[in-house]
Amino acid sequence: MLRQVIDRAIVEETPEREYYDLNLGPSHPAMHGILENRVKLDGERIVDCESHIGYCHRSFEKLAEHYSYNQVLTITDRMNYVSAMANNIGWTLAAEKLLGIEVPKRVQYVRVIMLELNRIIDHLVRVGILGVDSGAYTGFLYFFEQRERSYKIIEKLTGARLTTTFGRVGGLDRPLYPEFKEDIYEWIGPLRKVLKEFHTMLTRNRIFIERLRDVSPMNAERALEWGYTGPMLRAAGVEYDLRKHEPYSSYEDFDFEIPLGGTGDAYDRYMVCMEEMEQSIRIIEQAVENLPEGPHHADVPEVYLPEKKDVYSNMEAMIYHFKIIMHGICPPAGEVYQAIEAPNGELGFYCVSDGGPNPYRLHFRSPCLYYYQSIEELLRGGLIADAIMTISSINVIAGELER
Amino acid sequence: MSEIGAFLLEKTVVGSVMFGVTLGVVAYATLGERKLSGFFQDRHGPNRAGPWGLFQPIADGVKFFTKEEFIPDRANKALFVIAPTFTFMAAGFLIAVIPFGDRIVVNGREILLQIADVNIGILYILAISSLGVYGVITGGWASNNKYSLMGGLRSSSQMISYEIAMGLAVVALLIDHGTLSLRQIVLNQTGPIWQWSVFTHPLGFIIFYVSAFAEAARIPFDLPEAENELVGGYHTEYSAMKFGLFQFGEYTHMTLASGLIATLYFGGWSIPWLTAPAEPTVWWGLLTFAVFWIKTFFFMFVFIWVRWTLPRFRYDQLMGLGWKKLIPLAVLNILAMAAILIATGGAGME
């Protein structure tokens, strides 16, 4: 910290110096996604930084105004592509809140399991990439094997790996497959082992610690001012977790802890993420253990599509089918904000309905955007190597950042 | 056959064999690296070209030669072309003084399994290996790419810093052995295993080893080409065989650094407790040759092992380690070694 302050002072005193301009990105191996940072360098020290976003903008919010409530799900797949299901679940929760639907416990528990599973696969990548960017490639591949195993479960559950479109407004799109519980148990064992292995490889590694310690620190006050949430805020020592503070989807049923950091530097972020994975495993274990029996959707025939065989045999089902397909799901006019604790922060869905079948206005609060706003402050004063570690430690997903 | 003719024939044969074997090892070091990284990372590594991927280096060579030779528009063309050859040549010249094996006697003629047993062997190595940095910095500058330039600059400062530590570590060794000839250093280490310099110079060995990593620009010291920071570093703009030469030079450097460690600190071609026969046959030569390579392979393995385990340093930390830790330690090592030798009136003082 002190070093950076002094360096900044030196730099400010000599404004007539010439600097070296360098484009970090948009195509650079460590700019995950397509982020552009134009940095001014004094040797290897970043004197100033100018950040540009927009290379991955696909105008999802506008697009969503022309989609029905279930179709919006397919857009959310493509937002945070590292943990696609978290977005799906967040959106279904928002739509259900708007419609005033209470889904059965079983659905809520399955959502919790999948949210936590997605938190784990997100953190696996995030922490693994931190290793890659610091030069330790091997741990990343250990994690990727685990991630692959998670994808097997996701694929079995939804039929897709990335574009999961998991769940529907009012429940799940299909019942759980029979051996779901066993699959989860089988998945947890090796995952725990690999986490331990990764800890031995990097957590106490002197080089790794020195690469991350005091890199782009962000104190609690400043982090709150920037609108940080999720692991980034917790790394700064603020105990804020939507799963505890505004429980949704039965999070109040589970026993878990919120790992906290102190200085909010890259190492704290790393440690918070590593610990969050352990906590997520705990939550998954509890949820699978106590998974209640019951239907896989709420009893809301005007929202949830009836089964196909009923449509052909049952008058009422056919009418509802016709209504939902032709007129869509029409929530009452109003507005709603539903946020979930997505893997990289508070993922919010602000939806305005005018009573029609499409959202009148939709806004996604993507956590990345709030982190990335502060990138110039984070990078300034550091070295190029620090910039790389900073960008991989804040886990910016371009697809979510720019939507 | 005249004496001159016999000498020329001997040196030609020995030279081409040593050069060929070393380059073969270097080519297969690339395969070894990929296979081992696969082993460390729970994957297969190359396994398509030939059985167990054994023809992979050949396939790579063919690929390097047939790819498009791209030279950036604003690059300094002459320097851009010369740079990789420079790096490769600097690494290749080192082969000349490495003692690959003991002397053998064929038809009453004594033949050294070493291209040249110069009496300034170590000086030669320090001098030539420093030249490699010129290729890197020239290539970095000539590419007219900002990342390349930074890679080149990093590389020059890194190599200069660690050259000093390495040289100082060797000085302590020289005080002890009293010779600059690599063959003599190996001969001094024959006998029981505790004759190996690593037991008499543990600190010097550590300094030398760390510096060798830095010299070869491998993780954790691969800052000149840190792909996550500088894209490709100094070879960002290089393609085809020009890139291949850089790669080849890097692996040659790694191989010879391993050979040098084995020679200086682990008895080179000598086998503990075994003394050379009075009339060394070709078999004895082959045995020492094999022993040298086994020791070298071990250190190459460590090079690869470390690369796939550790993260890399940050630039200022690297410089800090070099100047604030290794160099003072190396100086201390020299003083301690000198003091011990004066106190005991040990070898090399005459």
Side-chain angles (χ1 to χ4, degrees):
Chain A
M1 254 321 260
L2 187 66
R3 191 197 72 211
Q4 294 183 1
V5 170
I6 292 168
D7 287 342
R8 221 170 289 173
I10 293 168
V11 165
E12 277 159 12
E13 271 171 21
T14 52
E16 74 282 355
R17 280 177 79 161
E18 277 189 36
Y19 299 115
Y20 192 59
D21 290 315
L22 185 74
N23 267 43
L24 274 180
S27 57
H28 181 285
M31 296 297 128
H32 306 293
I34 20 183
L35 312 169
E36 185 185 357
N37 289 297
R38 292 184 192 157
V39 294
K40 254 193 178 46
L41 294 177
D42 179 20
E44 290 227 0
R45 192 165 298 288
I46 295 172
V47 178
D48 203 0
C49 162
E50 193 185 327
S51 183
H52 296 255
I53 63 169
Y55 289 95
C56 194
H57 183 67
R58 290 152 296 168
S59 99
F60 281 170
E61 288 171 8
K62 190 70 191 164
L63 203 60
E65 290 171 20
H66 303 276
Y67 279 5
S68 79
Y69 284 84
N70 271 330
Q71 281 171 331
V72 174
L73 261 182
T74 58
I75 294 179
T76 60
D77 285 340
R78 291 152 176 85
M79 278 169 54
N80 186 341
Y81 36 71
V82 181
S83 52
M85 284 169 109
N87 311 327
N88 297 157
I89 295 166
W91 168 245
T92 42
L93 285 172
E96 281 160 11
K97 195 171 182 182
L98 191 60
L99 285 151
I101 298 169
E102 173 86 14
V103 296
K105 270 278 179 199
R106 183 179 173 81
V107 177
Q108 295 188 3
Y109 272 50
V110 172
R111 282 179 182 167
V112 166
I113 294 170
M114 291 332 277
L115 261 173
E116 295 307 320
L117 188 140
N118 271 269
R119 191 180 316 284
I120 289 170
I121 63 176
D122 174 276
H123 286 357
L124 285 178
V125 173
R126 171 184 194 157
V127 171
I129 286 286
L130 204 55
V132 172
D133 284 346
S134 66
Y137 195 83
T138 304
F140 173 71
L141 288 177
Y142 291 168
F143 273 179
F144 242 66
E145 195 192 340
Q146 298 308 312
R147 195 173 143 87
E148 184 59 33
R149 292 175 61 241
S150 332
Y151 269 125
K152 292 255 160 64
I153 297 177
I154 293 175
E155 198 177 354
K156 255 176 154 176
L157 189 68
T158 67
R161 288 162 57 89
L162 173 67
T163 51
T164 49
T165 321
F166 174 67
R168 294 289 180 270
V169 180
L172 304 177
D173 53 335
R174 65 185 91 169
L176 281 185
Y177 63 91
E179 67 277 15
F180 179 71
K181 272 188 176 183
E182 289 78 61
D183 275 3
I184 294 278
Y185 281 131
E186 209 173 292
W187 170 70
I188 288 173
L191 178 67
R192 277 224 163 101
K193 224 179 94 199
V194 168
L195 282 178
K196 205 170 279 171
E197 213 170 0
F198 200 82
H199 269 302
T200 17
M201 259 184 87
L202 286 181
T203 306
R204 302 283 305 141
N205 184 314
R206 181 73 187 273
I207 303 175
F208 190 65
I209 295 175
E210 286 196 359
R211 283 300 302 279
L212 294 180
R213 265 272 167 250
D214 294 329
V215 168
S216 63
M218 188 58 92
N219 61 34
E221 199 184 329
R222 199 81 185 111
L224 283 168
E225 280 172 11
W226 277 115
Y228 278 21
T229 48
M232 290 284 283
L233 187 60
R234 293 194 282 273
V238 181
E239 194 181 348
Y240 176 71
D241 190 321
L242 285 173
R243 293 175 293 175
K244 279 260 201 268
H245 292 89
E246 286 171 45
Y248 50 89
S249 203
S250 303
Y251 262 113
E252 63 278 6
D253 296 359
F254 305 107
D255 172 36
F256 62 98
E257 276 146 35
I258 306 175
L260 289 180
T263 55
D265 60 9
Y267 190 70
D268 277 354
R269 286 171 215 150
Y270 163 78
M271 285 308 281
V272 164
C273 286
M274 286 302 278
E275 185 52 33
E276 273 190 16
M277 282 194 262
E278 305 282 350
Q279 297 301 327
S280 292
I281 296 178
R282 268 180 72 193
I283 298 175
I284 291 177
E285 277 177 340
Q286 293 170 43
V288 174
E289 191 78 20
N290 308 320
L291 188 64
E293 292 302 318
H296 67 278
H297 60 87
D299 184 21
V300 276
E302 70 281 5
V303 171
Y304 192 88
L305 269 180
E307 267 196 70
K308 204 72 182 171
K309 69 175 193 318
D310 292 340
V311 176
Y312 291 122
S313 58
N314 185 328
M315 178 70 165
E316 208 174 332
M318 198 186 126
I319 292 170
Y320 278 126
H321 186 267
F322 180 80
K323 284 280 284 179
I324 292 172
I325 297 294
M326 300 308 289
H327 300 154
I329 305 165
C330 300
E335 51 192 79
V336 68
Y337 178 75
Q338 170 70 47
I340 62 160
E341 186 65 37
N344 57 353
E346 177 178 337
L347 175 67
F349 294 88
Y350 176 67
C351 178
V352 181
S353 158
D354 59 353
N358 308 327
Y360 176 75
R361 173 78 173 92
L362 197 53
H363 177 70
F364 304 119
R365 184 213 186 271
S366 60
C368 293
L369 183 67
Y370 294 82
Y371 307 150
Y372 205 65
Q373 283 183 80
S374 63
I375 194 77
E376 292 168 12
E377 186 180 315
L378 288 172
L379 297 193
R380 216 168 285 143
L383 297 168
I384 294 184
D386 291 338
I388 306 302
M389 298 316 285
T390 305
I391 285 168
S392 50
S393 74
I394 63 178
N395 191 20
V396 172
I397 313 287
E400 186 184 64
L401 173 72
E402 296 160 6
R403 306 185 292 278
Chain B
M1 200 187 287
S2 69
E3 184 50 37
I4 280 284
F7 176 78
L8 282 180
L9 181 70
E10 176 203 323
K11 286 302 170 195
T12 316
V13 171
V14 172
S16 23
V17 168
M18 297 310 161
F19 198 70
V21 168
T22 310
L23 291 196
V25 168
V26 169
Y28 274 88
T30 59
L31 176 69
E33 167 118 310
R34 291 167 69 183
K35 272 292 182 190
L36 280 171
S37 73
F39 168 67
F40 294 135
Q41 298 172 345
D42 298 342
R43 47 187 188 84
H44 292 289
N47 63 355
R48 285 288 164 261
W52 208 71
L54 277 180
F55 299 145
Q56 190 65 42
I58 299 162
D60 282 344
V62 171
K63 181 193 76 179
F64 277 140
F65 274 112
T66 49
K67 272 180 109 169
E68 185 194 349
E69 293 270 351
F70 176 76
I71 298 178
D73 201 23
R74 303 257 193 93
N76 184 324
K77 292 206 172 54
L79 288 180
F80 188 82
V81 175
I82 289 171
T85 49
F86 221 87
T87 300
F88 177 64
M89 266 165 38
F93 278 147
L94 293 181
I95 298 173
V97 293
I98 302 272
F100 290 93
D102 197 6
R103 69 195 177 95
I104 52 175
V105 177
V106 181
N107 292 340
R109 188 185 166 78
E110 188 182 287
I111 297 173
L112 272 186
L113 291 184
Q114 182 179 8
I115 298 174
D117 176 27
V118 282
N119 55 6
I120 51 156
I122 291 182
L123 276 187
Y124 174 87
I125 281 179
L126 289 178
I128 295 292
S129 67
S130 315
L131 287 179
V133 72
Y134 283 106
V136 171
I137 192 161
T138 320
W141 182 79
S143 307
N144 194 22
N145 175 316
K146 288 183 176 181
Y147 287 110
S148 301
L149 180 58
M150 291 184 74
L153 286 175
R154 276 183 174 194
S155 148
S156 56
S157 43
Q158 172 179 333
M159 297 220 180
I160 288 166
S161 315
Y162 280 84
E163 198 93 321
I164 297 171
M166 191 186 232
L168 290 178
V170 171
V171 167
L173 197 73
L174 298 183
I175 297 176
D176 188 11
H177 286 291
T179 175
L180 284 162
S181 152
L182 288 164
R183 177 170 162 78
Q184 195 53 48
I185 288 176
V186 173
L187 286 175
N188 287 351
Q189 296 179 67
T190 49
I193 197 163
W194 50 85
Q195 289 288 348
W196 285 4
S197 311
V198 67
F199 298 111
T200 45
H201 297 259
L203 184 61
F205 165 67
I206 292 168
I207 296 165
F208 188 87
Y209 203 17
V210 172
S211 309
F213 268 92
E215 285 282 291
R218 304 213 11 126
I219 278 181
F221 300 98
D222 72 332
L223 281 100
E225 45 184 305
E227 76 267 14
N228 308 92
E229 292 157 29
L230 300 182
V231 192
Y234 62 88
H235 59 60
T236 306
E237 298 287 358
Y238 279 91
S239 58
M241 200 55 210
K242 288 201 278 296
F243 169 73
L245 279 180
F246 268 133
Q247 284 297 87
F248 217 61
E250 189 190 310
Y251 279 95
T252 314
H253 205 132
M254 180 182 102
T255 309
L256 293 177
S258 308
L260 210 56
I261 291 163
T263 305
L264 292 180
Y265 290 96
F266 287 83
W269 44 259
S270 71
I271 309 161
W273 288 289
L274 219 65
T275 43
E279 190 74 354
T281 56
V282 175
W283 296 111
W284 170 254
L286 283 179
L287 181 68
T288 54
F289 190 65
V291 166
F292 170 81
W293 278 114
I294 289 168
K295 287 176 182 171
T296 305
F297 287 154
F298 173 75
F299 290 104
M300 286 167 77
F301 171 76
V302 177
F303 265 103
I304 293 168
W305 186 17
V306 167
R307 169 166 180 190
W308 298 106
T309 312
L310 291 184
R312 78 169 66 81
F313 283 101
R314 199 171 60 198
Y315 187 63
D316 56 332
Q317 293 163 354
L318 174 101
M319 284 295 157
L321 180 72
W323 287 95
K324 292 182 192 155
K325 302 206 176 99
L326 289 185
I327 292 178
L329 266 181
V331 172
L332 209 69
N333 187 35
I334 294 175
L335 293 178
M337 190 48 63
I340 290 170
L341 283 178
I342 289 170
T344 58
M349 289 301 291
E350 60 272 5

